[in-house]
Amino acid sequence: MTTLAPIERQDRRVYTVPDGPEADAQPESVVEGFFAAMPAGVQSDGFAVAREFLTDGAAERWNGDESAIIYSGAPTFVRKPNVDGGSSMDEAGILIQATLHIIGRIDGQGLYSAVGDDPWTVTFTLHRQDGQWRIDQLPQGVMVSVASFDQAFRQVSLYRPDVTGTTMVPDVRWLSWRNWRTRAMEELLGGVPDWLEGAVSDVADGRVGLQADAVPMESDGVAVRLDEGFAALDAASQAMLVRQIRLTLGDGTDGQEVNVLSGGETYSGAEGTVGLDVADHEEALYALSGGNVVSLESSSPVRVAQNTGIDEAEALVFGESGGAVLRADGVAECLDGEGMPCGVLFDGAPVSTVAEGVEGEVWGVAPDGRTLVVSRQGRTARIAVPDLGTGSIHAVAVSPEGARLAMAVGGGPDEGVLIAGIVRNGTGMAERLCETWHRVSSRSDVSMLTFYNDITLVYATDGASARQQAFRQLTPGPETAQSLPDSTVTSIATGDVSRYHRLAVFDDLGIVRTASGSLEGAWTIVYSQAEAMSAR
């Protein structure tokens, strides 16, 4: 049986206190008890109770922090013939097979990867120790249900400067609650993941480490003690690294008091005038209606551009500096800040969809489904997407700071929602994607997606062959169902409506609805005569 301790107010955890093995427990009960104890090991007790279910040798060999399997539902436990071919419970050992439906994995660096929700079987070998059945052979790492996930793992954004030095980029990790600050600093100093390599700067560059084996909370704030490698950095690098540390431990804000020390000196004020921050998301939401661009930012829709001259629009991208309309023939027509046509984008080549980038960028997907085109300040770039095989891109979304691209890919072995870093040059123009992408969802029928904020991605299926579904996630991380209106949604967006940041959907009847900032509220109609909606 598992009991609950009081909720800790500052992080809203419910502490689980699992029981150790009962006397004379059967092998199946021992394995089941081990599963019940693993989440508490990640969260608080360092696997002290979980190791009680292991033999002494297995307890020494097993590393619960090496990786994690995240599964849905309840595992099943089945006894198999023992290792010498018999089935009796003798000293030769008993095999217990646990079958799980895996939805994701977390590697040793805390990076979450989505996998298909398929059955997976793992075998535990049990032997008697002091007359009691104990697990002697098992895989490294832990197995945690999605229901226990948030109580065991903490989402932490490691903030890294983009290569242009203009904004901070979140690198989302899932770290054990019991020591998340220490693990966050180790990973921040430990290097950039492959899928962001080239899109962000690695300030520490392997030259800085932690001086102490913990990052404790002290009376005057969090104490981060760095080794002598920090003092050897130039002043600009020191300032940037202190800024990264402060934002990372403060969940993207300056609210957390952080003391950075190295070699007996304090560097807490070293960030000086480094003003890099997390990208904000204050954007109006726009709709195309009767040839007019309509702003939905205020409580009443306001026409901001009149008579664009574009009929049968498939999609809209619009902002203060203008944007584009995707015509029915697949050509993206440029719109100036007044909403008037200003030529065609991408040299007139057709695209299958368009999406908003940063600073007036327009992204498109070429008809081959494996090439991206970007228009920025009159210049066009073609960007190949690596390693898609036979898959094709159905939709894209650019993150608010412009350093990451999410792609909905269908067909082929790599289908799902993928994310990759965007490599930009000194002028801010996108040049290429990072050489490796990362899978954040295994769903193959996603046809629309948007960044709700810098770490939350919302995506929806097309509903053509099955009931339409939508999901949201801290990217990358486990997905959560997102409600949709009863009508068929054809695009989704995010923006400010009536002074609140909201998720918006556009349906096949031309109706725009929004949901509250919690992403769990009721849907409200804000416009009913739209032809397209501007979507990040």
Side-chain angles (χ1 to χ4, degrees):
M1 182 180 70
T2 298
T3 58
L4 298 181
I7 296 175
E8 187 180 57
R9 291 187 180 275
Q10 66 264 33
D11 56 38
R12 297 184 297 277
R13 274 179 292 174
V14 176
Y15 281 94
T16 57
V17 184
D19 294 328
E22 296 181 354
D24 301 320
Q26 295 295 302
E28 294 89 342
S29 296
V30 172
V31 177
E32 188 172 1
F34 178 66
F35 269 73
M38 281 189 283
V42 180
Q43 181 199 61
S44 56
D45 76 359
F47 306 108
V49 175
R51 285 191 167 86
E52 294 179 18
F53 294 87
L54 310 181
T55 63
D56 293 342
E60 291 183 5
R61 297 189 300 270
W62 180 66
N63 178 10
D65 288 323
E66 181 171 298
S67 59
I69 296 290
I70 312 303
Y71 63 89
S72 62
T76 59
F77 305 101
V78 177
R79 185 183 304 191
K80 308 301 288 186
N82 61 13
V83 292
D84 66 353
S87 59
S88 62
M89 294 198 308
D90 55 24
E91 300 299 328
I94 292 292
L95 302 182
I96 300 295
Q97 286 188 340
T99 300
L100 319 170
H101 282 265
I102 301 178
I103 63 169
R105 301 175 185 269
I106 300 176
D107 65 15
Q109 285 69 53
L111 186 60
Y112 182 98
S113 300
V115 299
D117 187 6
D118 297 322
W120 179 75
T121 299
V122 58
T123 300
F124 297 85
T125 302
L126 288 84
H127 289 283
R128 289 190 184 274
Q129 178 176 284
D130 299 329
Q132 303 293 320
W133 288 104
R134 295 292 181 264
I135 301 169
D136 188 60
Q137 295 180 36
L138 73 165
Q140 298 289 349
V142 296
M143 287 148 276
V144 175
S145 73
V146 69
S148 301
F149 183 80
D150 287 340
Q151 296 297 314
F153 292 94
R154 189 189 197 278
Q155 177 270 324
V156 181
S157 294
L158 311 180
Y159 283 97
R160 306 182 187 278
D162 75 325
V163 292
T164 67
T166 58
T167 188
M168 286 290 187
V169 182
D171 171 9
V172 173
R173 307 294 180 95
W174 296 92
L175 308 174
S176 57
W177 262 109
R178 72 178 191 276
N179 61 352
W180 72 267
R181 293 182 181 88
T182 303
R183 292 284 293 110
M185 291 300 94
E186 290 173 346
E187 296 306 325
L188 184 68
L189 301 173
V192 175
D194 291 344
W195 71 272
L196 277 175
E197 187 75 44
V200 297
S201 298
D202 185 4
V203 177
D205 194 25
R207 297 172 291 175
V208 182
L210 287 177
Q211 186 178 46
D213 59 1
V215 177
M217 282 289 297
E218 298 182 347
S219 59
D220 57 347
V222 181
V224 181
R225 294 177 172 84
L226 304 177
D227 63 18
E228 63 278 2
F230 179 81
L233 297 178
D234 60 71
S237 297
Q238 289 178 347
M240 185 64 74
L241 190 52
V242 171
R243 183 64 177 162
Q244 290 181 254
I245 291 171
R246 193 177 306 282
L247 289 176
T248 296
L249 295 182
D251 288 328
T253 72
D254 293 317
Q256 177 68 66
E257 186 64 35
V258 178
N259 300 314
V260 180
L261 306 103
S262 178
E265 300 289 334
T266 179
Y267 292 86
S268 301
E271 63 187 302
T273 58
V274 175
L276 265 67
D277 217 330
V278 181
D280 60 37
H281 319 97
E282 296 180 359
E283 296 181 333
L285 192 70
Y286 296 94
L288 187 67
S289 178
N292 302 304
V293 177
V294 177
S295 171
L296 306 178
E297 183 177 16
S298 63
S299 56
S300 299
V302 176
R303 185 173 62 189
V304 296
Q306 184 175 3
N307 189 20
T308 63
I310 304 296
D311 297 323
E312 299 183 14
E314 299 291 329
L316 170 70
V317 170
F318 197 76
E320 290 184 358
S321 60
V325 167
L326 181 61
R327 301 188 322 213
D329 61 3
V331 174
E333 180 83 31
C334 170
L335 300 181
D336 64 19
E338 302 298 323
M340 298 303 293
C342 51
V344 296
L345 302 181
F346 316 129
D347 300 322
V351 292
S352 60
T353 186
V354 290
E356 178 186 2
V358 293
E359 298 185 5
E361 276 181 348
V362 178
W363 289 67
V365 178
D368 65 5
R370 292 185 292 275
T371 305
L372 303 173
V373 286
V374 186
S375 175
R376 180 184 174 104
Q377 298 176 353
R379 293 177 296 163
T380 298
R382 292 180 62 84
I383 298 176
V385 180
D387 302 326
L388 286 185
T390 57
S392 60
I393 302 171
H394 295 167
V396 296
V398 179
S399 61
E401 85 292 327
R404 295 163 294 155
L405 181 81
M407 304 171 284
V409 175
D414 298 322
E415 61 186 7
V417 179
L418 315 179
I419 191 167
I422 300 172
V423 181
R424 297 180 181 271
N425 61 24
T427 66
M429 188 70 183
E431 291 188 326
R432 60 181 177 85
L433 298 185
C434 296
E435 295 182 1
T436 302
W437 47 256
H438 190 76
R439 186 190 307 277
V440 301
S441 173
S442 59
R443 298 188 181 274
S444 61
D445 53 352
V446 172
S447 63
M448 60 200 86
L449 64 172
T450 184
F451 279 91
Y452 179 75
N453 56 32
D454 64 325
I455 60 174
T456 306
L457 186 68
V458 182
Y459 44 93
T461 62
D462 58 16
S465 58
R467 181 177 64 87
Q468 192 166 31
Q469 295 177 291
F471 305 89
R472 63 182 184 272
Q473 65 171 231
L474 300 179
T475 302
E479 63 186 16
T480 301
Q482 168 67 50
S483 68
L484 287 176
D486 293 335
S487 55
T488 301
V489 172
T490 59
S491 67
I492 59 177
T494 186
D496 291 346
V497 178
S498 299
R499 296 179 298 177
Y500 291 97
H501 191 64
R502 296 180 183 270
L503 178 68
V505 298
F506 171 69
D507 68 16
D508 57 350
L509 301 176
I511 298 173
V512 177
R513 294 178 174 87
T514 63
S516 66
S518 69
L519 297 179
E520 297 175 353
W523 290 94
T524 302
I525 294 176
V526 295
Y527 201 71
S528 60
Q529 298 177 344
E531 300 166 18
M533 180 177 64
S534 183
R536 171 170 287 284

